[in-house]
Amino acid sequence: MVDTAGIFIHTVKWCQCSGTSQEDKLLQLLQERLFPSTIANPQTTFTFDVLDEFLVNSLEYKTSAASFYHKSQFSSQVSAR
C-alpha cells in the first residue's frame, strides 16, 4: 500500500461471502479508500490521500510519477528507522 507516510506491506482478507466476484473485491478496496494498481488481482494499492498528494505535486511542481514514488520509498525507509 502506498500512502502519504510511505510504502507499507499489508495482508488483505477478502470477504468470503458466497458469490463474491472480482468486482466485489475491487469495491471492497474502494470502500476503504484504496485504489488498486490493476483490476485483475491487484498486489498494490494507493490511498486516496496519496493520489490527492500526487495530483498536487504533478500539477503544481511538475513532479513525475517515478520521482514521487522514489520519494515515497525514501519516506518509508526513514520512518522504519
Side-chain angles (χ1 to χ4, degrees):
M1 174 176 51
V2 181
D3 183 43
T4 54
I7 302 170
F8 305 95
I9 297 173
H10 291 282
T11 301
V12 174
K13 291 203 142 235
W14 301 107
C15 174
Q16 298 298 318
C17 304
S18 64
T20 301
S21 68
Q22 183 66 25
E23 293 162 348
D24 293 328
K25 290 180 179 181
L26 295 175
L27 286 174
Q28 289 177 42
L29 291 173
L30 293 171
Q31 288 171 341
E32 296 301 319
R33 299 185 45 81
L34 298 171
F35 193 84
S37 60
T38 64
I39 293 174
N41 195 26
Q43 298 294 311
T44 304
T45 61
F46 301 88
T47 63
F48 283 16
D49 290 337
V50 81
L51 292 175
D52 289 339
E53 186 176 308
F54 172 68
L55 178 64
V56 169
N57 274 266
S58 65
L59 294 176
E60 294 292 325
Y61 307 112
K62 309 298 185 229
T63 304
S64 70
S67 293
F68 187 81
Y69 183 77
H70 290 300
K71 182 190 84 142
S72 297
Q73 283 182 316
F74 178 76
S75 296
S76 294
Q77 292 170 357
V78 169
S79 65
R81 292 180 189 169

